[in-house]
Amino acid sequence: MSDAPLATRALRSLDLTDLTDTCTDQAIDALCKKALDPHGPVAAVCVWPQFVKRAQENLRGSLVRIATVVNFPAGGEDVSRVTDDTQEALSDGANEIDLVLPYEALRRGDVTVAAEMVEAVRDLVDQGRLFKVILETGELKDPALIEAASRLAIDAGADFIKTSTGKTPVSATPEAAEIMLKAIKTSGKPVGLKPSGGIRTVADAKIYLDLADRIMGSGWATPQTFRIGASSVYDALIAAIEGRAGTTATGTY
């Protein structure tokens, strides 16, 4: 059976990402050109805050949304700094904010600072914009802690919960995604899932789409409720859609 339908589904739910330390204006131009591929377009590009305006120039008039990151990647605990950064990113034209949860605070049992930050950013992300909370599940490790982080983010108003920054040794895993999906289902709230980091092949993307279909139902995973955060899977998805042999993944995310 052809992988093309699956690859098309994954491509249209892709947050095409460049969060490399060496990112340039030219890299953003190339990223945005990929985002507008006729087989897509992708759901969003995800870029550093300083490149939001550049992405906006490239994507003006398209349906591709612009996501950016705050409190990234360390997951610090300075709420006022993070709200300032969020306000600036929104003013620059970001449609989606991906916030790193203060996961170290959660690990030591300080739920208050984590909830306060999520709620403060939630208050700023309005008017049809999306708010994603990155749990950094590879650092939380403990399934009970991943579940607690998922519940905290959902209760505090996240539109999506996201596995990872892609900057730690362990990024997205099916085990973490399953815990997160079950937390979403239990909540009964219209919250989406974004596995991110380390998704490099069509088979990788299929794992997460299959999980979503199994737990949430076959019609649930659309770009409104499901995103894949990646850079390196793009070429493999395009190759599968075009019926070419598997393409070696390029990119770090």
Side-chain angles (χ1 to χ4, degrees), residues 75-210:
E77 297 171 27
D78 186 338
V79 175
S80 62
R81 178 182 173 184
V82 173
T83 54
D84 286 349
D85 290 347
T86 301
Q87 192 61 67
E88 186 174 353
L90 294 171
S91 298
D92 284 348
N95 309 114
E96 306 186 357
I97 297 292
D98 290 25
L99 163 76
V100 182
L101 188 77
Y103 58 89
E104 289 291 355
L106 206 62
R107 278 170 62 166
R108 65 171 187 268
D110 187 351
V111 177
T112 304
V113 69
E116 183 185 345
M117 184 177 290
V118 176
E119 289 165 0
V121 176
R122 168 75 278 172
D123 287 345
L124 297 174
V125 185
D126 57 4
Q127 299 170 348
R129 296 164 171 148
L130 283 180
F131 176 37
K132 310 190 199 96
V133 178
I134 305 169
L135 307 185
E136 202 65 288
T137 54
E139 293 295 294
L140 292 176
K141 298 185 177 92
D142 178 11
L145 208 48
I146 294 169
E147 183 185 1
S150 300
R151 285 202 316 269
L152 184 154
I154 292 166
D155 290 346
D159 295 314
F160 273 75
I161 50 176
K162 174 177 171 181
T163 59
S164 335
T165 61
K167 299 287 188 179
T168 56
V170 177
S171 290
T173 65
E175 293 78 14
E178 180 159 358
I179 293 166
M180 293 163 72
L181 282 165
K182 287 179 176 175
I184 291 168
K185 186 169 187 178
T186 300
S187 77
K189 295 182 178 180
V191 175
L193 175 77
K194 180 177 172 180
S196 60
I199 299 169
R200 297 175 176 276
T201 66
V202 177
D204 290 340
K206 185 178 188 299
I207 289 168
Y208 294 100
L209 282 164
D210 284 352

